[in-house]
Amino acid sequence: SICCLDGKLLLLDLHQQRVNDTFEKYFTGVKPVDLSSVLKNVPSEGKFKCRLVYDQTNVTYSFIAYSNPNIRSFNLVVDDRITYRYKSTDRESLNVLFSKRGAADDILIVKNGFITDAYFTNLAFYDGNQWFTPNQPLLKGVKRAHLIAQNILIEKEITPTDLACFEQVSFINAMLDLGEVTVGLDQL
């Protein structure tokens, strides 16, 4: 997923690096897709999710009007075996965990005692002074990487008991900036 905002594809260099890494892992010896030459007819106004699907020979993409999700609550779910290092259309293991959310809007995934990610996002936790992100996410997202490079996020081990040290959690991904979708942690 790539954020298209008012005709501009955001963080395209980081998305290209993700594509390059995926090709190196799964399609060794095949030249990666060049996003800047493939993605055309970009909507000129509004916020759109560019959904890109590719393999070693085919590329498809679509632009879908985007509005932020309404996340007000979450449940912790534990899975010590889950992996999701590379973006994939196969999200079955994540879907299984999401189905365990109960009445909550989203999940925080705990692996080997540490918080990793939510269902569709990386996480950032605010302690009143600084933003922190789990240092072992399931997927190292492009927005997360960008915010770390800008020294806005600091990587840190975060356990479920550490949640009491934070004021809020922000759900971040290519479509969501830091602070756009947050849940207060004062009720924990």
Side-chain angles (χ1 to χ4, degrees):
S1 300
I2 301 171
C3 185
C4 174
L5 184 61
D6 295 330
K8 183 173 181 182
L9 295 167
L10 304 184
L11 304 177
L12 197 59
D13 57 334
L14 294 174
H15 286 287
Q16 184 65 59
Q17 186 59 53
R18 171 182 280 162
V19 169
N20 295 351
D21 293 346
T22 302
F23 266 75
E24 184 176 312
K25 170 70 176 174
Y26 291 105
F27 314 126
T28 306
V30 178
K31 185 178 179 186
V33 171
D34 178 19
L35 297 178
S36 62
S37 65
V38 169
L39 299 173
K40 303 293 181 198
N41 301 317
V42 175
S44 61
E45 291 183 22
K47 187 175 187 180
F48 290 83
K49 178 179 181 176
C50 175
R51 185 173 190 270
L52 178 74
V53 178
Y54 59 89
D55 61 22
Q56 62 189 8
T57 56
N58 299 301
V59 178
T60 60
Y61 64 93
S62 59
F63 291 97
I64 304 152
Y66 186 83
S67 58
N68 292 349
N70 186 13
I71 302 173
R72 296 177 315 233
S73 61
F74 60 83
N75 275 333
L76 296 174
V77 295
V78 177
D79 186 335
D80 291 340
R81 295 182 298 169
I82 190 167
T83 59
Y84 192 72
R85 183 166 178 215
Y86 296 92
K87 286 223 26 157
S88 172
T89 56
D90 179 6
R91 294 180 50 86
E92 185 56 34
S93 58
L94 291 166
N95 293 340
V96 167
L97 293 181
F98 190 67
S99 72
K100 298 177 181 179
R101 73 188 178 286
D105 298 317
D106 208 331
I107 57 173
L108 301 191
I109 301 167
V110 179
K111 180 176 180 179
N112 299 323
F114 297 98
I115 294 175
T116 60
D117 287 324
Y119 180 53
F120 266 107
T121 68
N122 289 133
L123 300 166
F125 295 91
Y126 187 66
D127 69 357
N129 184 46
Q130 178 67 54
W131 287 97
F132 297 91
T133 191
N135 67 344
Q136 296 292 324
L138 297 177
L139 178 74
K140 293 182 178 181
V142 296
K143 179 70 63 148
R144 178 184 178 276
H146 174 73
L147 293 170
I148 290 170
Q150 299 294 313
N151 295 315
I152 295 169
L153 280 183
I154 297 172
E155 293 181 287
K156 177 181 179 168
E157 289 184 342
I158 300 173
T159 67
T161 55
D162 293 332
L163 292 179
C165 301
F166 298 107
E167 294 178 5
Q168 62 181 315
V169 58
S170 180
F171 295 78
I172 57 172
N173 63 20
M175 301 302 300
L176 298 173
D177 280 324
L178 184 65
E180 259 189 295
V181 175
T182 62
V183 173
L185 299 176
D186 52 351
Q187 63 261 10
L188 293 179

